[in-house]
């Protein structure tokens, strides 16, 4: 019978970061996943460590945009009509959380995590010998119209109060930074404090290699086999049964499969998303990620090519892929940048685990001794992975947390 001090379920960027921080404290840690490290949800993102983030993604306030989404004409979001009744309560809660006062509240509660996001990744990357994957030149948000740029004013004002660096630019100044962009936009904001990642999968694997070098055990297994074994928790793995006094659940969109049978029902929804890599035509190149704000996609330079990410899709987590958003956004993307042929035969699809209040759950699982949660990071799994690892490790080991973890507790859903 094998035993560890702590089992971490889920080897995405969040789980791998948690496991690495725990093993650094001298604990025996087992990292368990049924697939490869970083190959699921953590693989598909724009590769941005958004320490500069202020407001979360929100429900559209423009009813014209809501109508476009409803008519399936918007590149920003797509949905499966049959799935809408299931996700409707979550969408209503999301809309309520998108009111201006609530967005400011969320920004304030999330600020401590975002303030540590870049530094914690830099520290882990240095230890893992993975600094080569980090670019320290920020990212650009582009606005095609004066109206859309005017809408970002509250964010810029709030950034000024928090001392978060950004540089508003006109189109010519933005193209001086990225000469391959076509002059189809009027304004931009250069968020200079963000760090981007040239290969998110390689970064997660580098953290996992550091975890292994420190004595951590990585093993295949199905998290759904988790059950009580006396005072311990037990998971069935490819190497046999494994017991531990404590377990961290970092399963991303699959967390309900484990928690629901334990009687822990969190109001988690998934936003499915897609990406595809493209070759650049001729000498076209990008040195940092680019957001086309009105069209809801990001162009991000990756080792695999130019990664084009889509907006959100509301559909069942395991439903067949429906990458129709590419058809809606490709004309705008090709107008902005000289995209060539796709690298892969088919787009990649993943599911972001999201709570309506845009805050993750980091802390104890209600009513289950020795069970800890790190889930629901939404669009910020990569951004907050390393900071989450540090915060949860401090909570588990009884150290003083670097910030108040109460805003991220699962208890907020039980009140």
């Amino acid at each position: 019978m094998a035993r560890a001090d702590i089992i971490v379920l889920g080897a995405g960027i969040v789980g791998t970061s948690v496991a690495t921080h725990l093993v650094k404290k001298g604990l025996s840690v087992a990292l368990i996943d049924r697939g490869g490290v970083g190959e699921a949800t953590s693989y598909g993102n724009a590769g941005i460590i958004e320490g500069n983030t202020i407001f979360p993604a929100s429900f559209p306030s423009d009813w014209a945009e809501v109508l476009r989404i409803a008519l399936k004409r918007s590149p920003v979001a797509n949905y499966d009509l049959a799935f809408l009744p299931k996700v409707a309560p979550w969408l209503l809660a999301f809309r309520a959380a998108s009111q201006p006062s609530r967005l400011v509240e969320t920004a304030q509660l999330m600020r401590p995590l975002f303030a540590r996001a870049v530094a914690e990744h830099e520290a882990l990357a240095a230890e893992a010998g993975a600094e080569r994957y980090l670019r320290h030149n920020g990212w650009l948000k582009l606005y095609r119209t004066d109206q859309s740029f005017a809408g970002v004013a509250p964010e810029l004002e709030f950034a000024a109060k928090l001392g978060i660096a950004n540089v508003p630019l006109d189109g010519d100044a933005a193209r001086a930074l990225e000469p391959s962009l076509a002059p189809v936009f009027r304004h931009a904001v250069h968020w200079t404090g963000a760090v981007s990642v040239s290969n998110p999968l390689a970064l997660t694997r580098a953290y996992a290699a550091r975890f292994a070098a420190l004595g951590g055990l990585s093993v295949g297994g199905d998290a759904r086999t988790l059950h009580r074994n006396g005072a311990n928790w037990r998971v069935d793995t490819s190497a046999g049964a494994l017991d531990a006094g404590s377990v961290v659940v970092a399963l991303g969109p699959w967390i309900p499969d484990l928690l629901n049978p334990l009687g822990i029902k969190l109001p988690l929804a998934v936003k499915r998303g897609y990406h595809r890599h493209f070759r650049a035509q001729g000498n076209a190149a990008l040195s940092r990620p680019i957001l086309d704000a009105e069209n809801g996609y990001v162009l991000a330079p990756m080792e695999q090519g130019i990664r084009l990410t889509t907006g959100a899709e509301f559909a069942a987590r395991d439903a067949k892929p429906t990458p129709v958003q590419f058809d809606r956004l490709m004309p705008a993307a090709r107008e902005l940048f000289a995209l060539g042929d796709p690298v892969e035969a088919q787009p990649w699809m993943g599911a972001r685990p999201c709570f309506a209040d845009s805050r993750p759950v980091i802390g104890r699982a209600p009513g289950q001794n020795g069970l800890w949660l790190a889930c629901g990071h939404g669009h910020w799994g990569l951004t907050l992975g390393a900071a989450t690892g540090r915060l949860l490790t401090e909570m588990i080991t009884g150290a003083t947390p670097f910030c108040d973890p109460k805003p991220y507790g699962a208890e907020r859903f039980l009140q």
Side-chain angles (χ1 to χ4, degrees):
M1 179 62 60
R3 177 175 170 79
D5 293 326
I6 302 180
I7 293 170
V8 178
L9 300 175
I13 188 63
V14 173
T16 302
S17 297
V18 171
T20 304
H21 274 281
L22 286 168
V23 80
K24 286 168 60 178
K25 296 298 184 182
L27 300 168
S28 61
V29 184
L31 179 61
I32 297 176
D33 200 297
R34 64 186 177 186
V37 169
E39 292 181 357
T41 303
S42 294
Y43 176 71
N45 53 66
I48 306 165
I49 302 172
E50 299 182 62
N52 55 258
T53 287
I54 299 172
F55 297 131
S58 59
F59 195 93
S61 58
D62 180 359
W63 284 105
E65 180 60 29
V66 174
L67 181 61
R68 288 179 69 209
I69 294 172
L71 296 174
K72 291 180 172 284
R73 295 177 180 172
S74 172
V76 174
N78 189 44
Y79 63 93
D80 175 8
L81 182 61
F83 185 69
L84 279 186
K86 295 182 180 179
V87 77
W90 187 94
L91 287 172
L92 289 173
F94 181 53
R95 183 170 181 266
S98 298
Q99 299 304 308
S101 61
R102 292 282 302 278
L103 291 176
V104 170
E105 178 189 22
T106 299
Q108 293 169 333
L109 293 174
M110 289 297 294
R111 192 67 231 147
L113 281 180
F114 283 116
R116 294 300 308 168
V118 169
E120 295 302 330
H121 268 295
E122 288 175 335
L124 280 186
E127 294 174 19
E131 299 102 320
R132 64 187 180 279
Y133 300 119
L134 304 184
R135 292 181 297 239
H136 294 80
N137 59 352
W139 71 313
L140 280 175
K141 296 184 179 182
L142 309 182
Y143 303 89
R144 293 179 179 239
T145 65
D146 294 336
Q147 180 181 6
S148 65
F149 181 66
V152 82
E155 186 176 25
L156 298 180
E157 292 170 5
F158 206 81
K161 294 178 181 178
L162 296 174
I164 297 173
N166 61 80
V167 183
L169 303 169
D170 62 21
D172 290 339
R175 288 191 298 278
L177 289 177
E178 296 290 349
S180 295
L181 297 178
V184 296
F185 59 96
R186 293 181 58 83
H187 304 276
V189 178
H190 183 199
W191 294 90
T192 57
V195 170
S196 59
V197 181
S198 63
N199 191 329
L201 175 61
L203 184 69
T204 306
R205 286 176 171 172
Y207 291 176
R210 175 61 175 164
F211 166 73
L214 292 170
L217 171 68
S218 292
V219 62
D222 190 333
R224 293 172 295 183
T225 66
L226 180 72
H227 61 279
R228 285 285 190 184
N229 180 41
N232 294 318
W233 292 96
R234 175 172 291 180
V235 179
D236 298 331
T237 78
S238 58
L242 178 63
D243 283 7
S246 298
V247 175
V248 175
V249 185
L251 293 172
W254 296 279
I255 202 164
D257 297 357
L258 185 146
L259 294 186
N260 287 353
L262 295 176
I264 304 172
K265 297 188 183 297
L266 301 179
L268 187 79
V270 298
K271 294 181 186 178
R272 304 204 314 177
Y274 301 82
H275 80 234
R276 200 172 191 183
H277 296 103
F278 293 83
R279 298 177 180 89
Q281 293 182 7
N283 295 323
L286 292 175
S287 60
R288 56 178 64 78
I290 306 295
L291 169 71
D292 185 345
E294 283 99 325
N295 293 292
Y297 67 85
V298 171
L299 293 171
M302 298 283 179
E303 291 182 354
Q304 301 96 323
I306 301 295
R307 179 176 292 185
L308 174 61
T309 71
T310 71
E313 179 183 62
F314 293 96
R317 181 191 66 193
D318 301 324
K320 181 181 177 181
T322 54
V324 297
Q325 286 164 286
F326 282 105
D327 294 334
R328 302 174 195 167
L329 63 82
M330 285 306 299
R334 292 192 185 279
E335 180 185 40
L336 177 66
F337 182 82
L339 291 173
D341 295 330
V343 174
E344 305 97 346
Q346 297 295 330
W348 177 93
M349 185 196 79
R352 305 179 188 94
C354 303
F355 293 110
D357 64 3
S358 296
R359 283 183 264 156
V361 164
I362 304 170
R364 294 182 182 274
Q368 294 287 348
N369 187 45
L371 195 65
W372 300 82
L373 306 178
C375 62
H377 288 74
H379 296 262
W380 300 324
L382 173 64
T383 292
L384 299 179
T388 296
R390 175 179 166 183
L391 178 61
L392 192 59
T393 294
E394 290 168 344
M395 296 172 71
I396 292 171
T397 60
T400 301
F402 73 81
C403 70
D404 181 7
K406 186 176 179 181
Y408 324 123
E411 294 79 8
R412 71 185 189 268
F413 299 120
L414 307 177
Q415 297 172 355

